[in-house]
Amino acid sequence: MHRSHTCGELRASHIGQTVTLSGWVQRSRDKGGLLWIDLRDRYGITQLFLEEGKSDAKVMEQARTLGREFVIKATGKVVERFSKNDQMATGDIEIFVEQLELLNASKTPPFTIEDESDGGDDLRMQWRYLDLRRNPLKNNLVLRHKIGIEARKYLDSLSFLEIETPYLIKSTPEGARDFVVPSRMNPGQFYALPQSPQTFKQILMVGGYDRYYQIVRCFRDEDLRADRQPEFTQIDCEMAFVEQEDILNTFEGLVKHLFKTVKGIDIPSVPRMTYDEAMRRFGSDKPDIRFGMEFQDLTTAMQGQGFAIFDQAEAVLGIVAAGCAHYTRKQVDELTEWVKRPQIGAKGLVCCMCNEDGTFKSSVDKFYSQDVWQKIAAQAGAKAGDLILILSGATDATRKQLSELRLLMGGRLGLRNPEEFKPLWVVDFPLVEWNEEAGRWFAMHHPFTAPKPDHFDLLETSPGDARANAYDFVLNGVEIGGGSIRIHDRKIQSRMFDLLGFSPEEAQHQFGFLLNAFEYGAPPHGGIAFGFDRLCALFGGADNIRDFIAFPKNNSGRDVMIDAPSTIDQKQMDELYIATQPINE
Amino acid sequence: MHRSHTCGELRASHIGQTVTLSGWVQRSRDKGGLLWIDLRDRYGITQLFLEEGKSDAKVMEQARTLGREFVIKATGKVVERFSKNDQMATGDIEIFVEQLELLNASKTPPFTIEDESDGGDDLRMQWRYLDLRRNPLKNNLVLRHKIGIEARKYLDSLSFLEIETPYLIKSTPEGARDFVVPSRMNPGQFYALPQSPQTFKQILMVGGYDRYYQIVRCFRDEDLRADRQPEFTQIDCEMAFVEQEDILNTFEGLVKHLFKTVKGIDIPSVPRMTYDEAMRRFGSDKPDIRFGMEFQDLTTAMQGQGFAIFDQAEAVLGIVAAGCAHYTRKQVDELTEWVKRPQIGAKGLVCCMCNEDGTFKSSVDKFYSQDVWQKIAAQAGAKAGDLILILSGATDATRKQLSELRLLMGGRLGLRNPEEFKPLWVVDFPLVEWNEEAGRWFAMHHPFTAPKPDHFDLLETSPGDARANAYDFVLNGVEIGGGSIRIHDRKIQSRMFDLLGFSPEEAQHQFGFLLNAFEYGAPPHGGIAFGFDRLCALFGGADNIRDFIAFPKNNSGRDVMIDAPSTIDQKQMDELYIATQPINE
């Protein structure tokens, strides 16, 4: 071992011992006769110390040649530090260096290896190994490791078995686009990489495995955004002989366990909200409940006063921004422009200041008297000093727009503290949703989700009203988990495929093995999958999952460090019986 | 929850309680007025009981309709069993059934769900979910889960971090054939699935992560055998600031921990043997040391007696099969045929019986006097009653042939007990081996393995003599782990690529990121990877890894249950800018 201790380990109690440390030169300071080196490894930083006259002249000379990020091995005595540093775990001591060995030199890094680096995103992606040396990334990966260990510990304690499912599976047209893998041994045929182990975990339930989990990579060939990667990791779980309540309790327990063991936070019982309620109160199926600012339905109150836009709207919805009555015209205009951007798509915004003197001021005062505003403010719970923000239009669209505005205002008012955690179960999701473009129903969760038993008949009469035993786990406005009770009856599954526009032949071709399995004693079962990358990011108080993945891809799906994907040899293609098509761009 | 207890949980202490169990009907016995049902789940079997007159008539009637593998939910009272079964954990009790609910029916399975099934391999692969219900497979997957949990526990306790590396990486020509994945966003370009996370784990060492592990899927597009799968799992590990000794100690600790916690076996210190010694004593770099039967070099003793075949041979090697002097002519002929099969490739076999009366009998007695045999027997340590088996020819080939014969004889003599575990470190592997066909040196382990520091110069003069700090962990004659100290110096790595026939441009194109990383403070590092599937199989006392993988592929790389690989749509191919080539067979 090139060390006796790590760079984060030595304390006052080690004073007098001779130790060997190895690590990277974080910085060195040469004050003439005195030389200090901060030596860094994964565990911390320890100060090395040399002194002209006292130190061996050759060692002193060698120490002076060390640059940033050189890898060295230093042996010496632990001594008490003259000026202690209580910001550092090792701040009570330093090492008086007796021997020094250069293990490897380093060129000057293209950016500084500091908590706040001077390197841009592209540069840091290309030199990922240097970026990974920075504390913020290191802490993220350590956090990720801990969450993985604790998740397994919890699930193992409840008799869940981690069972590996295959990565080379079969392409299915439902859902997102598959990555495919040509088969050399089966010319002209392809494997697909799994978008999730969904059918395999259900097969394991049919196989009697009862409680399954896997922390597993999944693949989706979709266009990428900041929080999406072509490969991502799920905590994937399934249970047999359970009802929805059992799953909610079991996985609420998982999240509580993770908060407790990883962050030392006690999470009280997780509230539940139906999908319909979440949409009504927050205009979102993943409401951020760290703050209120709930939707107020002002339709009745605001219609019939002669303001045509509101009178013609399906819904007039408002939120109250506490203490914002002082907003200037400029601020209001800026908000109006913000909601009118194409990403939000509102036609306009009505703001009403609830002045401290009890009067009201809005841009539509010619339609609404002070008395009407008084009533509206009372209904909305707006107090003097508050600002009422109102959007109108078709219900679904208006909810969506106002939800975005609510999140914006919540952020601006400092109500979205990343160190505050407010989880929520959203339950009773619709089973299917109509896709105008495709002209057919699509599964809201996936085609294996069971309708609520008393909603079976709705599949015939009005599928859009059918609710499923499907649930999402939402944390601070982010969906980090979702699942459902599955269909375990072949007839219902066939009926579902039928509703989704699969012909019996297609259903049999794609999912025949599952349909057949349902005829050989499939138990009632259900499950959930958590997005591991997002969960880690939220635990780390961050938005971007990239900083929680050791080697992420960029928005073009490229790993710029290794320069992948890349072209392959003609010989490789010939062996696989494939060719590339000409590219017209 | 569709149960209050599992089918493996109830004991005499539960007598009198009303419980609900769910599971599969293993079998039922209808003795007129009395009906017993064995109800099975993952945890065990519990006997259900109904009685004409005492039981509800409808429940009795319903119970009579239940076939094998029906899924039911039964509620009733735990009662003491009249005739206890001490072969079953639940054998003291049975359930007097009061309510019965059919959760799902089952067709008659195509084979019996028993420890010894009547289903053939193909049938069982196709209906994997039924095969997985059988105890032997279930126990294997439970064992696998346990080994995974304990491996993580051990590594976590030593500050190893599990860090996920990407599955969509870059194709490299060195090593086995890659599976490739066309990139839609980068037309004409391909990802490759990793054969191992080798370069990424080295990059993590450069990134300062110090101790890494991952239980990770790897992919090799090679022709398949019983113990090879296109996707397989590794326990992949790497450490920085270590020397070979540190790695051997750390991972000997891992294997000991697994044996202790999973099988309750204390493994004493693991012996070490150099590659050269293993080849000399056992003719194999993965000797099975559960038994002796070591190679005896009889070249000097047997040459010069006029037997031309031995006289012309580079090596004459023998083993002693204890107590086999009684072998008949037929048995000897059979052994001779066995070594002459093309898979072994020997030209012939000389056998010498060491008779109980002190005489010797061989097929080459006209060349060898009793005196000579006496000396040979003494040298080989053969006693009266033993059989000496002798092969000759070129040293390497003869060793290989005799090693196979040794394993055969060891098996026949009952010396290879699958419940006895004899691990071994084989160390000091050659760095490179000459490939006649390609006319160049190939890395014995991989191109990142470091030569022993005092063997650097041999790279110039005689590369074949250079030894590496490379080591294999061998268990009962099976290599379950292998690793090395890596090169961390750019110049040495370039020199190595040069020796392996890479042009500087090729080396830069393929591994430029690693070569560059070595210039920015790469620490000394090394690691090891264990074959998780094989490790599980050995722990389970089995040869075939397939029974330790939930969803294995067959020898054509097919998953016959889901019928993959399969053809994909033209639209999918167009999106990926690929086409299939015509197949000429």
Side-chain angles (χ1 to χ4, degrees):
Chain A
M1 199 83 73
H2 291 288
R3 65 185 174 206
S4 62
H5 296 78
T6 70
C7 294
E9 197 173 348
L10 297 171
R11 300 288 182 274
S13 60
H14 295 91
I15 289 170
Q17 292 185 23
T18 295
V19 299
T20 300
L21 301 185
S22 287
W24 287 263
V25 174
Q26 178 74 28
R27 72 176 70 78
S28 65
R29 281 153 295 152
D30 191 347
K31 308 250 178 184
L34 296 172
L35 184 78
W36 288 275
I37 297 169
D38 281 354
L39 192 67
R40 187 197 69 231
D41 69 7
R42 189 185 117 195
Y43 309 92
I45 286 181
T46 300
Q47 182 165 289
L48 309 182
F49 171 70
L50 295 98
E51 187 173 352
E52 199 92 65
K54 280 192 178 176
S55 294
D56 182 277
K58 274 192 185 157
V59 173
M60 192 82 194
E61 189 183 340
Q62 188 188 9
R64 287 204 159 106
T65 65
L66 301 173
R68 277 204 287 144
E69 301 305 317
F70 277 44
V71 188
I72 61 169
K73 176 175 169 178
T75 300
K77 198 159 270 182
V78 184
V79 296
E80 191 171 0
R81 204 146 139 182
F82 181 71
S83 55
K84 298 200 170 53
N85 180 345
D86 60 9
Q87 302 297 302
M88 286 172 72
T90 62
D92 285 350
I93 58 95
E94 59 191 351
I95 312 295
F96 183 75
V97 178
E98 284 148 21
Q99 292 169 48
L100 207 52
E101 186 184 335
L102 177 65
L103 296 174
N104 218 339
S106 175
K107 290 187 179 172
T108 303
F111 50 83
T112 54
I113 313 294
E114 303 279 355
D115 289 6
E116 296 290 331
S117 173
D118 58 358
D121 275 357
D122 291 348
L123 207 59
R124 291 192 290 114
M125 286 281 270
Q126 191 184 340
W127 307 79
R128 188 69 174 176
Y129 40 93
L130 297 180
D131 203 25
L132 285 169
R133 287 186 192 160
R134 296 171 51 243
N135 276 323
L137 266 79
K138 186 196 72 186
N139 294 340
N140 291 349
L141 294 188
V142 172
L143 176 74
R144 188 178 175 115
H145 165 76
K146 274 194 201 150
I147 298 176
I149 285 280
E150 289 298 335
R152 286 189 164 94
K153 208 178 275 179
Y154 176 82
L155 293 166
D156 184 53
S157 77
L158 294 181
S159 299
F160 281 81
L161 295 174
E162 183 159 31
I163 301 177
E164 294 169 66
T165 53
Y167 281 126
L168 296 171
I169 67 163
K170 185 172 178 165
S171 191
T172 57
E174 189 75 349
R177 224 181 263 109
D178 283 324
F179 284 103
V180 300
V181 182
S183 167
R184 179 181 55 88
M185 289 206 266
N186 301 274
Q189 297 186 24
F190 294 79
Y191 302 101
L193 299 178
Q195 296 184 28
S196 92
Q198 181 63 33
T199 49
F200 287 97
K201 66 177 176 174
Q202 293 191 239
I203 285 288
L204 285 171
M205 294 305 107
V206 178
Y209 283 77
D210 200 274
R211 294 179 167 208
Y212 144 94
Y213 79 97
Q214 193 181 186
I215 300 187
V216 62
R217 204 72 52 87
C218 302
F219 304 85
R220 276 179 210 174
D221 186 10
E222 293 294 328
D223 297 327
L224 304 174
R225 301 185 309 233
D227 65 339
R228 266 206 203 152
Q229 287 278 314
E231 45 178 316
F232 56 97
T233 303
Q234 273 183 195
I235 308 179
D236 191 53
C237 309
E238 196 81 4
M239 303 172 82
F241 300 117
V242 290
E243 290 159 307
Q244 171 168 306
E245 191 62 25
D246 305 309
I247 297 188
L248 300 191
N249 288 333
T250 304
F251 292 98
E252 187 167 321
L254 170 63
V255 176
K256 282 183 187 176
H257 174 83
L258 294 179
F259 269 108
K260 182 70 186 168
T261 54
V262 177
K263 294 191 73 78
I265 294 175
D266 279 303
I267 293 281
S269 169
V270 177
R272 297 180 189 180
M273 196 181 287
T274 66
Y275 171 87
D276 292 334
E277 185 184 348
M279 295 306 289
R280 196 177 66 242
R281 290 173 57 192
F282 301 98
S284 166
D285 61 0
K286 42 179 189 286
D288 185 345
I289 58 167
R290 279 175 297 183
F291 63 106
M293 213 187 278
E294 292 191 24
F295 284 17
Q296 305 299 330
D297 186 345
L298 306 177
T299 318
T300 311
M302 302 208 73
Q303 286 185 340
Q305 303 289 328
F307 182 42
I309 291 172
F310 282 4
D311 286 351
Q312 287 154 19
E314 187 185 359
V316 181
L317 304 175
I319 53 174
V320 176
C324 293
H326 60 81
Y327 265 34
T328 61
R329 173 66 180 267
K330 197 176 154 201
Q331 282 175 298
V332 168
D333 285 350
E334 185 263 339
L335 282 181
T336 308
E337 287 314 307
W338 192 88
V339 298
K340 286 167 82 176
R341 292 176 315 141
Q343 299 95 307
I344 307 297
K347 292 275 171 17
L349 172 70
V350 168
C351 294
C352 176
M353 278 78 174
C354 309
N355 297 321
E356 295 289 353
D357 63 4
T359 63
F360 299 89
K361 172 89 189 82
S362 82
S363 54
V364 290
D365 280 348
K366 67 173 166 172
F367 301 107
Y368 298 96
S369 68
Q370 291 287 313
D371 276 1
V372 175
W373 279 124
Q374 185 88 52
K375 271 186 222 152
I376 290 167
Q379 185 196 332
K383 294 183 301 295
D386 293 350
L387 178 70
I388 309 175
L389 301 160
I390 306 169
L391 294 176
S392 69
T395 305
D396 289 354
T398 306
R399 282 177 170 176
K400 208 155 174 279
Q401 294 154 8
L402 194 61
S403 170
E404 296 292 339
L405 183 61
R406 174 180 173 270
L407 294 176
L408 178 81
M409 294 306 296
R412 290 192 176 175
L413 294 174
L415 304 172
R416 305 183 72 193
N417 174 7
E419 286 304 322
E420 185 188 358
F421 297 97
K422 283 284 181 71
L424 172 73
W425 284 111
V426 177
V427 298
D428 296 352
F429 271 78
L431 181 68
V432 290
E433 54 188 348
W434 183 257
N435 182 301
E436 207 58 60
E437 203 179 321
R440 69 165 174 98
W441 295 102
F442 275 75
M444 186 108 171
H445 187 53
H446 55 50
F448 313 109
T449 296
K452 283 185 174 286
D454 49 351
H455 287 198
F456 280 156
D457 293 344
L458 292 174
L459 295 194
E460 309 298 328
T461 54
S462 64
D465 292 329
R467 290 294 177 266
N469 278 327
Y471 31 81
D472 276 357
F473 192 91
V474 174
L475 182 59
N476 292 1
V478 179
E479 181 219 317
I480 58 163
S484 64
I485 297 296
R486 327 299 185 185
I487 299 167
H488 66 282
D489 179 295
R490 179 178 176 134
K491 282 194 216 84
I492 297 174
Q493 187 65 68
S494 295
R495 175 70 195 86
M496 190 66 191
F497 282 135
D498 190 37
L499 178 65
L500 300 176
F502 284 70
S503 73
E505 294 71 31
E506 284 167 345
Q508 187 63 34
H509 177 67
Q510 293 299 330
F511 299 109
F513 64 99
L514 190 63
L515 290 169
N516 291 343
F518 285 171
E519 299 195 300
Y520 288 88
H525 63 286
I528 193 166
F530 288 90
F532 191 52
D533 307 301
R534 278 195 207 170
L535 185 69
C536 294
L538 275 168
F539 266 61
D543 295 328
N544 196 323
I545 61 171
R546 264 187 212 165
D547 290 343
F548 292 79
I549 296 172
F551 301 102
K553 307 239 175 348
N554 73 8
N555 277 352
S556 312
R558 294 199 70 81
D559 182 326
V560 293
M561 180 185 78
I562 62 169
D563 192 26
S566 61
T567 54
I568 60 173
D569 291 348
Q570 186 62 42
K571 180 170 164 280
Q572 265 179 294
M573 285 202 272
D574 291 346
E575 282 188 333
L576 296 168
Y577 298 92
I578 57 167
T580 51
Q581 291 186 20
I583 299 148
N584 307 309
E585 288 187 42
Chain B
M1 198 84 73
H2 290 289
R3 65 186 174 206
S4 62
H5 296 77
T6 71
C7 295
E9 196 172 350
L10 298 171
R11 300 288 181 274
S13 60
H14 294 91
I15 289 170
Q17 292 186 21
T18 295
V19 299
T20 300
L21 301 185
S22 286
W24 287 263
V25 174
Q26 178 74 26
R27 73 177 70 77
S28 64
R29 280 154 295 154
D30 191 347
K31 308 252 178 183
L34 296 172
L35 185 81
W36 288 275
I37 296 169
D38 280 354
L39 192 67
R40 186 197 70 233
D41 68 10
R42 189 184 116 194
Y43 309 91
I45 286 181
T46 300
Q47 181 165 288
L48 309 181
F49 170 72
L50 296 99
E51 187 173 353
E52 199 91 66
K54 279 193 178 174
S55 295
D56 183 279
K58 273 190 186 157
V59 174
M60 192 82 193
E61 189 184 341
Q62 189 188 9
R64 287 204 160 105
T65 66
L66 300 174
R68 277 203 287 143
E69 301 305 317
F70 277 46
V71 187
I72 62 169
K73 175 175 172 178
T75 299
K77 198 159 270 180
V78 184
V79 297
E80 190 172 1
R81 206 147 137 180
F82 180 69
S83 56
K84 297 198 170 58
N85 180 345
D86 59 11
Q87 302 297 303
M88 286 172 70
T90 62
D92 284 351
I93 58 93
E94 59 191 352
I95 312 296
F96 183 74
V97 178
E98 286 149 19
Q99 292 169 46
L100 207 54
E101 186 184 337
L102 177 66
L103 296 175
N104 218 339
S106 175
K107 290 185 179 174
T108 303
F111 49 84
T112 54
I113 314 293
E114 304 279 355
D115 288 6
E116 297 290 329
S117 173
D118 57 359
D121 276 356
D122 292 348
L123 207 60
R124 289 193 290 114
M125 285 281 270
Q126 189 184 343
W127 307 77
R128 189 70 174 174
Y129 41 91
L130 297 179
D131 204 23
L132 284 170
R133 287 185 192 162
R134 294 170 54 241
N135 277 322
L137 266 79
K138 185 196 73 186
N139 294 340
N140 291 349
L141 294 188
V142 172
L143 177 73
R144 187 177 176 116
H145 165 76
K146 274 192 201 152
I147 296 176
I149 285 280
E150 289 298 336
R152 286 188 163 94
K153 211 180 275 181
Y154 175 82
L155 293 167
D156 183 52
S157 76
L158 293 180
S159 300
F160 281 81
L161 295 175
E162 183 159 31
I163 301 178
E164 294 169 65
T165 53
Y167 281 124
L168 296 172
I169 66 163
K170 183 171 175 165
S171 192
T172 57
E174 189 73 349
R177 222 182 264 108
D178 283 325
F179 284 104
V180 300
V181 182
S183 167
R184 177 180 58 86
M185 289 204 268
N186 301 273
Q189 298 187 23
F190 294 79
Y191 302 99
L193 300 178
Q195 296 183 28
S196 91
Q198 182 62 34
T199 49
F200 287 98
K201 67 177 175 174
Q202 292 192 241
I203 285 288
L204 285 171
M205 294 305 108
V206 179
Y209 284 78
D210 200 275
R211 296 181 165 207
Y212 144 95
Y213 80 96
Q214 192 181 187
I215 301 187
V216 62
R217 204 71 53 84
C218 302
F219 304 86
R220 276 179 210 175
D221 186 11
E222 293 295 327
D223 297 327
L224 304 174
R225 301 184 310 233
D227 65 338
R228 266 209 204 148
Q229 287 278 315
E231 45 177 316
F232 55 97
T233 303
Q234 273 184 195
I235 307 180
D236 192 52
C237 309
E238 197 80 4
M239 302 172 82
F241 301 116
V242 290
E243 289 158 306
Q244 172 169 304
E245 191 62 24
D246 305 309
I247 297 187
L248 300 190
N249 288 332
T250 305
F251 293 98
E252 186 167 323
L254 170 64
V255 176
K256 282 184 186 174
H257 174 84
L258 294 179
F259 269 109
K260 183 69 186 169
T261 54
V262 178
K263 294 190 73 78
I265 295 175
D266 280 302
I267 293 281
S269 169
V270 176
R272 298 181 190 179
M273 196 181 288
T274 67
Y275 170 87
D276 292 334
E277 184 184 349
M279 295 307 289
R280 196 177 66 242
R281 290 172 58 190
F282 300 98
S284 167
D285 60 0
K286 43 178 187 284
D288 185 345
I289 58 165
R290 280 174 298 183
F291 64 106
M293 214 186 278
E294 292 191 20
F295 284 18
Q296 306 299 331
D297 187 344
L298 307 177
T299 317
T300 310
M302 302 209 73
Q303 285 185 340
Q305 304 290 327
F307 183 43
I309 290 172
F310 281 3
D311 286 351
Q312 289 154 18
E314 185 183 0
V316 181
L317 304 175
I319 53 174
V320 176
C324 293
H326 60 81
Y327 265 35
T328 61
R329 173 66 180 268
K330 198 176 150 197
Q331 283 176 296
V332 168
D333 286 351
E334 185 262 340
L335 282 181
T336 307
E337 288 313 307
W338 192 88
V339 298
K340 287 167 79 176
R341 292 176 316 142
Q343 299 96 308
I344 308 295
K347 290 276 167 24
L349 172 69
V350 169
C351 294
C352 176
M353 280 75 177
C354 308
N355 296 321
E356 295 289 353
D357 63 4
T359 63
F360 298 91
K361 173 90 190 81
S362 82
S363 54
V364 290
D365 281 347
K366 66 171 166 175
F367 301 108
Y368 298 96
S369 68
Q370 293 286 314
D371 277 359
V372 174
W373 278 126
Q374 185 89 49
K375 271 185 223 152
I376 290 167
Q379 185 195 332
K383 294 181 300 293
D386 294 350
L387 177 70
I388 308 175
L389 301 159
I390 304 169
L391 294 175
S392 69
T395 304
D396 288 354
T398 307
R399 282 176 169 176
K400 207 156 176 274
Q401 295 154 7
L402 194 61
S403 170
E404 296 292 338
L405 184 60
R406 174 180 174 270
L407 293 176
L408 179 80
M409 294 306 295
R412 289 192 177 172
L413 292 173
L415 304 172
R416 307 183 69 193
N417 174 7
E419 287 303 322
E420 186 188 357
F421 297 97
K422 282 283 181 70
L424 172 73
W425 284 112
V426 177
V427 298
D428 296 351
F429 271 78
L431 182 68
V432 291
E433 55 188 348
W434 183 256
N435 184 301
E436 208 57 61
E437 205 178 320
R440 69 165 175 98
W441 295 104
F442 275 76
M444 187 106 169
H445 188 53
H446 55 50
F448 314 109
T449 295
K452 282 184 176 287
D454 49 351
H455 288 198
F456 280 157
D457 293 343
L458 291 173
L459 295 193
E460 310 297 330
T461 55
S462 65
D465 292 328
R467 291 294 177 265
N469 278 327
Y471 32 82
D472 275 357
F473 192 91
V474 175
L475 182 60
N476 291 1
V478 179
E479 181 220 317
I480 58 162
S484 63
I485 297 295
R486 327 299 184 186
I487 299 167
H488 65 283
D489 179 293
R490 181 181 174 130
K491 282 194 216 82
I492 297 174
Q493 187 66 68
S494 295
R495 176 71 195 87
M496 190 69 191
F497 282 135
D498 190 35
L499 178 65
L500 299 176
F502 284 71
S503 73
E505 294 70 30
E506 282 166 347
Q508 187 62 36
H509 178 67
Q510 292 300 331
F511 299 109
F513 64 100
L514 190 63
L515 291 169
N516 291 344
F518 285 171
E519 299 194 301
Y520 288 89
H525 62 287
I528 194 167
F530 288 90
F532 191 53
D533 308 301
R534 279 195 206 169
L535 184 69
C536 294
L538 276 169
F539 266 61
D543 295 327
N544 196 323
I545 61 171
R546 264 188 213 164
D547 290 344
F548 292 79
I549 296 172
F551 300 102
K553 306 237 174 353
N554 72 10
N555 277 352
S556 312
R558 295 198 70 81
D559 182 326
V560 294
M561 180 185 79
I562 63 169
D563 192 25
S566 60
T567 54
I568 59 172
D569 291 348
Q570 187 61 44
K571 180 169 164 281
Q572 265 179 294
M573 285 200 273
D574 292 345
E575 282 187 332
L576 296 168
Y577 298 92
I578 57 167
T580 52
Q581 291 185 16
I583 300 149
N584 307 310
E585 289 188 45

